[in-house]
Amino acid sequence: MLAPVTTGSRCVPGATVVRMAAASKKLVIKVTAGADAPERCSQAFTVAAVAVASGVEVSLWLTGESSWFALPGRAAEFELPHSAPLPELVDGILAGGRITLCTQCAARRGIGEKDVIEGVRIAGAQVFVSEITGEGVQALVY
């Protein structure tokens, strides 16, 4: 819902803020970028980790080139100046959220359930659609 931004009892002309229902704080993030687009990749993991640390329910989906980060040691290979280390972000997300690897993306890369880091699940489009169509869910794609 869009609402005017106010300061005290006065309305700030032309300013609006998007408000989510307080009872439902769920964020589903799909990251399609990996080492091929490091800034987009880092932004997705950073937003997910910050949201988890802020008490938001987070589900991060690894698709496309980000699929490789479901494998042990792969996050440590990722480097981007002035960004948080990817392994720390992954740990933060897993500490209070969920990371899912796309079924088809895993299959195309020969990745199985025994290959992924502990805490990562492999699931498909049906689960993704179920997550993003829930009440009060905000979905982001990077």
Side-chain angles (χ1 to χ4, degrees):
M1 136 176 49
L2 293 176
V5 175
T6 59
T7 56
S9 60
R10 295 184 308 164
C11 185
V12 178
T16 57
V17 64
V18 177
R19 293 191 177 131
M20 287 180 55
S24 56
K25 288 185 173 183
K26 181 166 184 181
L27 185 59
V28 178
I29 300 172
K30 178 185 268 193
V31 55
T32 63
D36 59 324
E39 287 184 303
R40 266 192 304 134
C41 177
S42 180
Q43 287 171 0
F45 280 90
T46 300
V47 167
V50 169
V52 167
S54 300
V56 176
E57 184 181 346
V58 173
S59 177
L60 178 71
W61 282 73
L62 305 178
T63 67
E65 287 303 299
S66 71
S67 300
W68 297 113
F69 298 125
L71 297 175
R74 287 296 187 97
E77 296 173 6
F78 180 86
E79 291 184 18
L80 182 64
H82 309 292
S83 65
L86 203 55
E88 291 178 18
L89 296 174
V90 169
D91 289 346
I93 297 163
L94 287 173
R98 168 173 274 166
I99 297 179
T100 304
L101 173 58
C102 160
T103 302
Q104 292 181 12
C105 300
R108 281 190 283 274
R109 289 160 179 81
I111 301 172
E113 289 192 25
K114 294 179 182 176
D115 301 318
V116 299
I117 58 177
E118 187 176 339
V120 173
R121 70 174 176 169
I122 297 177
Q126 181 180 6
V127 176
F128 180 76
V129 170
S130 174
E131 285 190 15
I132 65 170
T133 56
E135 182 81 25
V137 175
Q138 175 69 50
L140 302 173
V141 178
Y142 286 89

PDB file of all heavy atoms in Angstrom, residues 25-43:
ATOM      1  N   LYS A  25       6.375 -10.561   7.318  1.00  0.00           N
ATOM      2  CA  LYS A  25       7.673 -10.114   6.833  1.00  0.00           C
ATOM      3  C   LYS A  25       8.375 -11.307   6.225  1.00  0.00           C
ATOM      4  O   LYS A  25       9.064 -12.039   6.913  1.00  0.00           O
ATOM      5  CB  LYS A  25       8.519  -9.539   7.960  1.00  0.00           C
ATOM      6  CG  LYS A  25       8.070  -8.201   8.465  1.00  0.00           C
ATOM      7  CD  LYS A  25       9.073  -7.701   9.488  1.00  0.00           C
ATOM      8  CE  LYS A  25       8.772  -6.306   9.917  1.00  0.00           C
ATOM      9  NZ  LYS A  25       9.768  -5.805  10.853  1.00  0.00           N
ATOM     10  N   LYS A  26       8.157 -11.538   4.943  1.00  0.00           N
ATOM     11  CA  LYS A  26       8.842 -12.627   4.264  1.00  0.00           C
ATOM     12  C   LYS A  26       9.410 -12.094   2.965  1.00  0.00           C
ATOM     13  O   LYS A  26       8.736 -11.402   2.217  1.00  0.00           O
ATOM     14  CB  LYS A  26       7.925 -13.808   3.982  1.00  0.00           C
ATOM     15  CG  LYS A  26       8.699 -14.937   3.299  1.00  0.00           C
ATOM     16  CD  LYS A  26       7.988 -16.245   3.277  1.00  0.00           C
ATOM     17  CE  LYS A  26       8.915 -17.275   2.664  1.00  0.00           C
ATOM     18  NZ  LYS A  26       8.325 -18.584   2.556  1.00  0.00           N
ATOM     19  N   LEU A  27      10.657 -12.427   2.739  1.00  0.00           N
ATOM     20  CA  LEU A  27      11.359 -11.978   1.550  1.00  0.00           C
ATOM     21  C   LEU A  27      11.894 -13.196   0.813  1.00  0.00           C
ATOM     22  O   LEU A  27      12.597 -14.015   1.391  1.00  0.00           O
ATOM     23  CB  LEU A  27      12.512 -11.055   1.964  1.00  0.00           C
ATOM     24  CG  LEU A  27      13.328 -10.369   0.884  1.00  0.00           C
ATOM     25  CD1 LEU A  27      12.451  -9.492   0.003  1.00  0.00           C
ATOM     26  CD2 LEU A  27      14.420  -9.526   1.532  1.00  0.00           C
ATOM     27  N   VAL A  28      11.523 -13.319  -0.460  1.00  0.00           N
ATOM     28  CA  VAL A  28      12.035 -14.391  -1.312  1.00  0.00           C
ATOM     29  C   VAL A  28      12.927 -13.722  -2.346  1.00  0.00           C
ATOM     30  O   VAL A  28      12.493 -12.826  -3.074  1.00  0.00           O
ATOM     31  CB  VAL A  28      10.907 -15.181  -2.006  1.00  0.00           C
ATOM     32  CG1 VAL A  28      11.494 -16.252  -2.909  1.00  0.00           C
ATOM     33  CG2 VAL A  28       9.989 -15.811  -0.973  1.00  0.00           C
ATOM     34  N   ILE A  29      14.191 -14.142  -2.387  1.00  0.00           N
ATOM     35  CA  ILE A  29      15.159 -13.548  -3.302  1.00  0.00           C
ATOM     36  C   ILE A  29      15.659 -14.623  -4.245  1.00  0.00           C
ATOM     37  O   ILE A  29      16.119 -15.675  -3.808  1.00  0.00           O
ATOM     38  CB  ILE A  29      16.348 -12.936  -2.531  1.00  0.00           C
ATOM     39  CG1 ILE A  29      15.854 -11.847  -1.581  1.00  0.00           C
ATOM     40  CG2 ILE A  29      17.397 -12.387  -3.499  1.00  0.00           C
ATOM     41  CD1 ILE A  29      16.918 -11.322  -0.632  1.00  0.00           C
ATOM     42  N   LYS A  30      15.562 -14.344  -5.543  1.00  0.00           N
ATOM     43  CA  LYS A  30      16.113 -15.255  -6.548  1.00  0.00           C
ATOM     44  C   LYS A  30      17.358 -14.580  -7.115  1.00  0.00           C
ATOM     45  O   LYS A  30      17.296 -13.467  -7.622  1.00  0.00           O
ATOM     46  CB  LYS A  30      15.114 -15.521  -7.666  1.00  0.00           C
ATOM     47  CG  LYS A  30      15.684 -16.440  -8.747  1.00  0.00           C
ATOM     48  CD  LYS A  30      14.735 -16.590  -9.913  1.00  0.00           C
ATOM     49  CE  LYS A  30      13.856 -17.786  -9.694  1.00  0.00           C
ATOM     50  NZ  LYS A  30      13.123 -18.171 -10.941  1.00  0.00           N
ATOM     51  N   VAL A  31      18.485 -15.263  -6.988  1.00  0.00           N
ATOM     52  CA  VAL A  31      19.730 -14.730  -7.542  1.00  0.00           C
ATOM     53  C   VAL A  31      20.125 -15.581  -8.746  1.00  0.00           C
ATOM     54  O   VAL A  31      20.275 -16.791  -8.638  1.00  0.00           O
ATOM     55  CB  VAL A  31      20.855 -14.617  -6.478  1.00  0.00           C
ATOM     56  CG1 VAL A  31      21.118 -15.921  -5.793  1.00  0.00           C
ATOM     57  CG2 VAL A  31      22.127 -14.068  -7.072  1.00  0.00           C
ATOM     58  N   THR A  32      20.237 -14.918  -9.892  1.00  0.00           N
ATOM     59  CA  THR A  32      20.577 -15.595 -11.144  1.00  0.00           C
ATOM     60  C   THR A  32      22.034 -15.373 -11.520  1.00  0.00           C
ATOM     61  O   THR A  32      22.552 -16.051 -12.389  1.00  0.00           O
ATOM     62  CB  THR A  32      19.698 -15.080 -12.300  1.00  0.00           C
ATOM     63  OG1 THR A  32      19.958 -13.686 -12.493  1.00  0.00           O
ATOM     64  CG2 THR A  32      18.226 -15.285 -12.005  1.00  0.00           C
ATOM     65  N   ALA A  33      22.661 -14.409 -10.868  1.00  0.00           N
ATOM     66  CA  ALA A  33      24.029 -14.014 -11.211  1.00  0.00           C
ATOM     67  C   ALA A  33      25.026 -14.678 -10.274  1.00  0.00           C
ATOM     68  O   ALA A  33      24.756 -14.868  -9.088  1.00  0.00           O
ATOM     69  CB  ALA A  33      24.172 -12.496 -11.122  1.00  0.00           C
ATOM     70  N   GLY A  34      26.177 -14.993 -10.832  1.00  0.00           N
ATOM     71  CA  GLY A  34      27.275 -15.544 -10.047  1.00  0.00           C
ATOM     72  C   GLY A  34      28.520 -14.725 -10.308  1.00  0.00           C
ATOM     73  O   GLY A  34      28.460 -13.496 -10.370  1.00  0.00           O
ATOM     74  N   ALA A  35      29.624 -15.394 -10.522  1.00  0.00           N
ATOM     75  CA  ALA A  35      30.882 -14.709 -10.820  1.00  0.00           C
ATOM     76  C   ALA A  35      30.808 -13.932 -12.138  1.00  0.00           C
ATOM     77  O   ALA A  35      31.593 -13.017 -12.367  1.00  0.00           O
ATOM     78  CB  ALA A  35      32.028 -15.718 -10.861  1.00  0.00           C
ATOM     79  N   ASP A  36      29.830 -14.279 -12.983  1.00  0.00           N
ATOM     80  CA  ASP A  36      29.650 -13.588 -14.261  1.00  0.00           C
ATOM     81  C   ASP A  36      29.133 -12.160 -14.086  1.00  0.00           C
ATOM     82  O   ASP A  36      29.332 -11.316 -14.952  1.00  0.00           O
ATOM     83  CB  ASP A  36      28.704 -14.380 -15.167  1.00  0.00           C
ATOM     84  CG  ASP A  36      27.333 -14.589 -14.554  1.00  0.00           C
ATOM     85  OD1 ASP A  36      27.257 -14.775 -13.322  1.00  0.00           O
ATOM     86  OD2 ASP A  36      26.336 -14.592 -15.296  1.00  0.00           O
ATOM     87  N   ALA A  37      28.454 -11.873 -12.990  1.00  0.00           N
ATOM     88  CA  ALA A  37      27.929 -10.537 -12.682  1.00  0.00           C
ATOM     89  C   ALA A  37      28.082 -10.325 -11.178  1.00  0.00           C
ATOM     90  O   ALA A  37      27.110 -10.383 -10.420  1.00  0.00           O
ATOM     91  CB  ALA A  37      26.479 -10.413 -13.121  1.00  0.00           C
ATOM     92  N   PRO A  38      29.324 -10.107 -10.719  1.00  0.00           N
ATOM     93  CA  PRO A  38      29.604 -10.122  -9.285  1.00  0.00           C
ATOM     94  C   PRO A  38      28.849  -9.092  -8.452  1.00  0.00           C
ATOM     95  O   PRO A  38      28.499  -9.381  -7.314  1.00  0.00           O
ATOM     96  CB  PRO A  38      31.113  -9.902  -9.207  1.00  0.00           C
ATOM     97  CG  PRO A  38      31.513  -9.359 -10.529  1.00  0.00           C
ATOM     98  CD  PRO A  38      30.508  -9.840 -11.511  1.00  0.00           C
ATOM     99  N   GLU A  39      28.590  -7.913  -8.987  1.00  0.00           N
ATOM    100  CA  GLU A  39      27.890  -6.914  -8.183  1.00  0.00           C
ATOM    101  C   GLU A  39      26.440  -7.316  -7.913  1.00  0.00           C
ATOM    102  O   GLU A  39      25.969  -7.207  -6.779  1.00  0.00           O
ATOM    103  CB  GLU A  39      27.954  -5.543  -8.846  1.00  0.00           C
ATOM    104  CG  GLU A  39      29.342  -4.936  -8.745  1.00  0.00           C
ATOM    105  CD  GLU A  39      29.426  -3.544  -9.299  1.00  0.00           C
ATOM    106  OE1 GLU A  39      29.088  -3.348 -10.481  1.00  0.00           O
ATOM    107  OE2 GLU A  39      29.845  -2.659  -8.539  1.00  0.00           O
ATOM    108  N   ARG A  40      25.748  -7.801  -8.939  1.00  0.00           N
ATOM    109  CA  ARG A  40      24.376  -8.272  -8.733  1.00  0.00           C
ATOM    110  C   ARG A  40      24.352  -9.442  -7.761  1.00  0.00           C
ATOM    111  O   ARG A  40      23.490  -9.523  -6.883  1.00  0.00           O
ATOM    112  CB  ARG A  40      23.738  -8.698 -10.057  1.00  0.00           C
ATOM    113  CG  ARG A  40      22.938  -7.606 -10.701  1.00  0.00           C
ATOM    114  CD  ARG A  40      22.069  -8.083 -11.842  1.00  0.00           C
ATOM    115  NE  ARG A  40      22.839  -8.770 -12.856  1.00  0.00           N
ATOM    116  CZ  ARG A  40      22.470  -9.921 -13.411  1.00  0.00           C
ATOM    117  NH1 ARG A  40      21.370 -10.520 -13.047  1.00  0.00           N
ATOM    118  NH2 ARG A  40      23.212 -10.481 -14.348  1.00  0.00           N
ATOM    119  N   CYS A  41      25.297 -10.345  -7.920  1.00  0.00           N
ATOM    120  CA  CYS A  41      25.389 -11.507  -7.045  1.00  0.00           C
ATOM    121  C   CYS A  41      25.590 -11.075  -5.593  1.00  0.00           C
ATOM    122  O   CYS A  41      24.865 -11.508  -4.695  1.00  0.00           O
ATOM    123  CB  CYS A  41      26.540 -12.391  -7.504  1.00  0.00           C
ATOM    124  SG  CYS A  41      26.810 -13.829  -6.456  1.00  0.00           S
ATOM    125  N   SER A  42      26.544 -10.215  -5.379  1.00  0.00           N
ATOM    126  CA  SER A  42      26.847  -9.751  -4.031  1.00  0.00           C
ATOM    127  C   SER A  42      25.670  -9.006  -3.413  1.00  0.00           C
ATOM    128  O   SER A  42      25.376  -9.172  -2.221  1.00  0.00           O
ATOM    129  CB  SER A  42      28.086  -8.853  -4.053  1.00  0.00           C
ATOM    130  OG  SER A  42      28.385  -8.398  -2.761  1.00  0.00           O
ATOM    131  N   GLN A  43      24.980  -8.209  -4.212  1.00  0.00           N
ATOM    132  CA  GLN A  43      23.825  -7.466  -3.702  1.00  0.00           C
ATOM    133  C   GLN A  43      22.742  -8.425  -3.200  1.00  0.00           C
ATOM    134  O   GLN A  43      22.160  -8.204  -2.134  1.00  0.00           O
ATOM    135  CB  GLN A  43      23.246  -6.561  -4.787  1.00  0.00           C
ATOM    136  CG  GLN A  43      24.115  -5.370  -5.077  1.00  0.00           C
ATOM    137  CD  GLN A  43      23.659  -4.597  -6.304  1.00  0.00           C
ATOM    138  OE1 GLN A  43      22.671  -4.954  -6.943  1.00  0.00           O
ATOM    139  NE2 GLN A  43      24.377  -3.546  -6.635  1.00  0.00           N
TER     140      GLN A  43
END
